Amino acid sequence: MTLSRKSIDQAISPFYNDWVVLSVELKFCIGQEASDCYQLIVRGCEVYEELQETLIGLFGSSAPSPLNESERLEFVKNSRSTHAASRQLEQLFGELKKKIARIKVGYPAE
């Protein structure tokens, strides 16, 4: 399969759609100070890791990743603060989206 901006978008958009839903649920959960917010963070980590696997499948060893990604993801998984973990996860998704956008510029539209 030849990569294009459209094919890259089709491959990654389900992960970002899932993240949008999860992040809304997570913000609500944290606002309610509920004790089950950690399950949403775990699911967010799973979505992020699935996205990374997809990117590796698309780009191989040149797959984009945020600075200190593995350490930051480990922090999210081990954090006792759901607010700090959710903020870090939100930043990881945002930074990765920007890096993907930079890479997509070099590919044809179709």
Side-chain angles (χ1 to χ4, degrees), residues 77-97:
K77 291 177 181 178
N78 296 325
S79 181
R80 293 176 189 239
S81 166
T82 54
H83 179 69
S86 69
R87 289 289 299 143
Q88 191 62 239
L89 197 53
E90 184 177 320
Q91 290 175 353
L92 283 168
F93 270 101
E95 290 174 29
L96 187 55
K97 191 171 193 173

Side-chain angles (χ1 to χ4, degrees), residues 66-86:
L67 187 63
N68 300 327
E69 176 187 56
S70 59
E71 293 88 354
R72 293 165 69 189
L73 199 53
E74 194 65 31
F75 167 79
V76 170
K77 291 177 181 178
N78 296 325
S79 181
R80 293 176 189 239
S81 166
T82 54
H83 179 69
S86 69

Side-chain angles (χ1 to χ4, degrees), residues 1-2 5 15 23 27 38 41 44 47 51-52 59 64 68 79 88 90-91 96 104:
M1 174 175 114
T2 304
R5 290 181 216 162
F15 300 104
S23 66
K27 286 177 187 173
Y38 191 72
I41 290 173
V47 170
L51 171 59
Q52 273 296 47
F59 300 108
N68 300 327
S79 181
Q88 191 62 239
E90 184 177 320
Q91 290 175 353
L96 187 55
K104 284 185 350 185

Side-chain angles (χ1 to χ4, degrees), residues 96-108:
L96 187 55
K97 191 171 193 173
K98 290 176 187 176
K99 289 188 177 267
I100 293 167
R102 275 189 225 118
I103 288 175
K104 284 185 350 185
V105 170
Y107 288 92

Side-chain angles (χ1 to χ4, degrees), residues 34-59:
S35 61
D36 60 345
C37 297
Y38 191 72
Q39 292 300 333
L40 294 171
I41 290 173
V42 168
R43 179 65 190 132
C45 287
E46 290 170 354
V47 170
Y48 187 86
E49 289 170 337
E50 291 168 6
L51 171 59
Q52 273 296 47
E53 289 174 18
T54 299
L55 291 173
I56 290 169
L58 290 172
F59 300 108

